[in-house]
């Protein structure tokens, strides 16, 4: 079982998320343990204060080191296993499917969700193992970012998805965007499903899907192609598409 703990000032935000849909089913199956903990409970003062004014002056308040260090230490297991401790912040590594796959190999993840102006730098320097940003924008807190990471990691765990191949063929898992999908009826409002998909010829279906995946990536995220090993035939496809656009 993978264990995921979230340190947050607003644990109620996670109640419905952890109980619904795929995450809820994974929790019920015992595949993943999900827990949100209010780190205000670990403040070392009578008012449970977790923030203070920054040294040197400036606007906003800064989260104190003590309650977050103490909260993390209470989550460590007696066997000495070291969890990945993840700080959600705009300065972190840009999140990717590859990072999700990496984190899915761990047994224990701890997420720290911040608010206010920022964190005491000693949290960043001496406690966390990873800093993650889900995009080049700023949220009011790390909770929504933590939910995104948790969801993307949990769905990769064995037994979470009904079809284990779903995660393997996802966009970005292969380095490419995913190919188009169709389902019944074969004709809807005069729009037909591509003939190859109802041909029953699995080799041709596989080739079509690869070609469509490459074309969609070429059209929407061409920078991803630099990281993908292409066959000579696939290189010819891309060359032909380039010529089409220039015609």
């Amino acid at each position: 079982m993978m264990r995921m703990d979230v340190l947050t000032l607003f644990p109620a935000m996670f109640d419905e998320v952890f109980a619904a849909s795929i995450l809820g089913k994974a929790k019920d199956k015992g595949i993943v343990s999900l827990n949100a903990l209010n780190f205000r409970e670990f403040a070392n003062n009578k008012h449970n204060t977790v923030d203070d004014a920054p040294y040197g002056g400036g606007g906003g308040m800064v989260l104190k080191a003590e309650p977050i260090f103490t909260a993390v230490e209470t989550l460590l297991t007696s066997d000495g296993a070291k969890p990945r401790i993840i700080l959600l912040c705009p300065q972190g590594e840009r999140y990717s499917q590859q990072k999700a796959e990496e984190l899915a190999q761990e047994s224990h993840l701890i997420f720290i969700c911040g608010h206010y102006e920022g964190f005491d730098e000693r949290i960043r320097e001496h406690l966390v193992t990873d800093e993650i940003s889900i995009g080049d924008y700023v949220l009011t807190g790390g909770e929504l970012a933590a939910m995104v990471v948790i969801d993307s990691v949990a769905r990769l765990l064995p037994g979470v998805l009904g079809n284990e191949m779903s995660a393997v063929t996802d966009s970005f898992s292969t380095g490419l965007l995913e190919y188009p999908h169709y389902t019944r009826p074969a004709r809807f409002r005069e729009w037909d499903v591509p003939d190859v998909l109802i041909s029953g010829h699995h080799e041709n279906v596989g080739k079509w899907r690869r070609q469509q995946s490459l074309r969609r990536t070429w059209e929407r995220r061409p920078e991803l192609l630099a990281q993908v090993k292409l066959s000579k035939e696939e290189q010819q496809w891309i060359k032909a598409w380039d010529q089409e656009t220039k015609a």
Side-chain angles (χ1 to χ4, degrees), residues 147-220:
M147 293 175 191
V148 167
V149 177
I150 289 168
D151 184 88
S152 63
V153 170
R155 67 188 301 280
L156 296 174
L157 301 178
V160 170
L161 298 180
N163 184 344
E164 296 299 330
M165 286 303 295
S166 296
V168 176
T169 58
D170 279 339
S171 290
F172 305 110
S173 291
T174 62
L176 302 172
L177 301 185
E178 196 172 6
Y179 50 79
H181 292 277
Y182 296 88
T183 189
R184 294 182 180 88
R187 166 164 285 200
F188 171 67
R189 296 185 180 179
E190 306 305 315
W191 300 312
D192 294 327
V193 172
D195 290 339
V196 65
L197 295 180
I198 54 179
S199 68
H201 195 299
H202 296 299
E203 184 177 345
N204 287 347
V205 169
K207 182 176 180 178
W208 179 89
R209 286 176 169 170
R210 176 70 176 181
Q211 188 177 54
Q212 293 297 312
S213 182
L214 277 168
R215 175 141 198 166
R216 182 158 289 187
T217 305
W218 171 78
E219 292 174 337
R220 303 182 183 189

Side-chain angles (χ1 to χ4, degrees), residues 33-73:
S33 167
L34 302 167
N35 177 52
L37 186 65
N38 192 334
F39 60 80
R40 192 179 295 279
E41 298 174 9
F42 300 91
N44 59 356
N45 58 81
K46 65 179 181 180
H47 299 295
N48 292 330
T49 303
V50 295
D51 63 308
D52 208 336
Y55 280 119
M61 303 292 280
V62 176
L63 285 172
K64 295 163 64 69
E66 298 97 328
I68 293 178
F69 268 80
T70 303
V72 167
E73 287 161 0

Side-chain angles (χ1 to χ4, degrees), residues 89-120:
C89 68
Q91 300 177 30
E93 170 188 353
R94 187 77 171 268
Y95 194 54
S96 66
Q97 183 66 21
Q98 288 68 40
K99 188 69 173 183
E101 292 169 359
E102 175 189 328
L103 294 177
Q105 304 303 312
E106 301 291 333
S107 60
H108 188 191
L109 303 176
I110 298 175
F111 298 88
I112 304 174
C113 305
H115 277 265
Y116 311 120
E117 185 65 21
F119 299 87
D120 185 299

Side-chain angles (χ1 to χ4, degrees), residues 9-10 13 90 113-118 137-145:
L9 292 175
F10 303 98
M13 290 180 65
C113 305
H115 277 265
Y116 311 120
E117 185 65 21
Y137 48 86
V138 180
L139 300 170
T140 54
E143 284 76 15
L144 294 177

